[in-house]
Amino acid sequence: MGTLTDVQIKYDECWAKTTPSGQPGISVEQHCRTAGVVAGLLARKYPQWLKDILDIRTGIILAALHDVGKVSPGFQKKCFAWLKRRGLTAAEFAGMDEDHARMSQKTVQDFMAGENLLLWAAIVGAHHGKLKGNHLSSLCDGGEAWTAERHRLVEELVREFGLLPEHPPPNIDCGSLWF
């Protein structure tokens, strides 16, 4: 049996969706790429007036990044078949943060330069419809190796879908959204 500190998982080995039989299905990497491609296809169909208001590139990269937090032991432990293949048990990942949306928000936040950009990370974290707040520094995220893999995935997606936003969203009081 391995332990959490022994686990050297690469982001392309992490599942995002399971099959109906409970096996690891589509990878996090492929799921994020699919979301980015779909966002790009949808953006092409927006009417011009909407394209003039929105920065379409920002929406595409944020859509692609929405599930990078699934590259975490707290999420990966949810698939028993995945654990078994690696000689691990869910008990070895006890206490790990299971909220992949919070983990995605924290990961994107790591790449944001400046307090005024954190709302973009919050948007990623809210992709299931609920804001996650701004208290993310104490996440049990699996440590440096898992963080490095999430960061590698972000860098790969940025190369494919474009840079993260450098300006805050327009006309929004960022402070009013934190609770």
Side-chain angles (χ1 to χ4, degrees), residues 58 61-62 65 104-124 151 154 158 163-169:
T58 294
I61 186 58
L62 295 181
L65 294 173
S104 294
Q105 178 177 335
K106 171 64 169 84
T107 302
V108 172
Q109 191 171 305
D110 290 346
F111 285 83
M112 294 290 165
E115 184 78 22
N116 64 344
L117 297 176
L118 295 183
L119 184 57
W120 292 122
I123 290 167
V124 170
H151 286 191
V154 168
V158 163
L163 298 174
L164 288 163
E166 296 176 348
H167 304 286

Side-chain angles (χ1 to χ4, degrees), residues 10-13 27-34 36-37 60-66 68 71 107-108 111 147-164:
K10 302 298 182 200
Y11 69 76
D12 57 354
E13 300 171 356
S27 71
V28 175
E29 176 185 20
Q30 186 58 52
H31 177 62
C32 288
R33 280 198 162 98
T34 300
V37 168
I60 293 169
I61 186 58
L62 295 181
L65 294 173
H66 82 286
V68 296
V71 177
T107 302
V108 172
F111 285 83
T147 299
E149 284 305 300
R150 286 188 297 275
H151 286 191
R152 278 188 348 106
L153 180 53
V154 168
E155 291 163 356
E156 181 65 29
L157 294 168
V158 163
R159 277 192 292 277
E160 185 168 341
F161 293 103
L163 298 174
L164 288 163

Side-chain angles (χ1 to χ4, degrees), residues 30-65:
Q30 186 58 52
H31 177 62
C32 288
R33 280 198 162 98
T34 300
V37 168
V38 169
L41 291 172
L42 289 172
R44 284 194 217 162
K45 299 214 175 264
Y46 289 170
Q48 188 57 48
W49 66 267
L50 187 56
K51 289 178 184 178
D52 292 342
I53 295 172
L54 300 175
D55 180 354
I56 302 301
R57 293 170 298 135
T58 294
I60 293 169
I61 186 58
L62 295 181
L65 294 173

Side-chain angles (χ1 to χ4, degrees), residues 56 78 84 94 110 131 141 143 153 173:
I56 302 301
K78 294 178 180 185
K84 186 175 179 183
D110 290 346
L131 288 168
D141 60 4
L153 180 53
D173 175 11

Side-chain angles (χ1 to χ4, degrees), residues 91-146:
E92 291 170 292
F93 290 169
M96 293 291 107
D97 199 305
E98 296 182 18
D99 187 340
H100 74 275
R102 279 173 36 115
M103 199 70 64
S104 294
Q105 178 177 335
K106 171 64 169 84
T107 302
V108 172
Q109 191 171 305
D110 290 346
F111 285 83
M112 294 290 165
E115 184 78 22
N116 64 344
L117 297 176
L118 295 183
L119 184 57
W120 292 122
I123 290 167
V124 170
H127 73 266
H128 285 288
K130 185 175 180 186
L131 288 168
K132 303 298 177 178
N134 194 25
H135 306 289
L136 304 175
S137 60
S138 63
L139 289 179
C140 293
D141 60 4
E144 291 179 20
W146 287 88

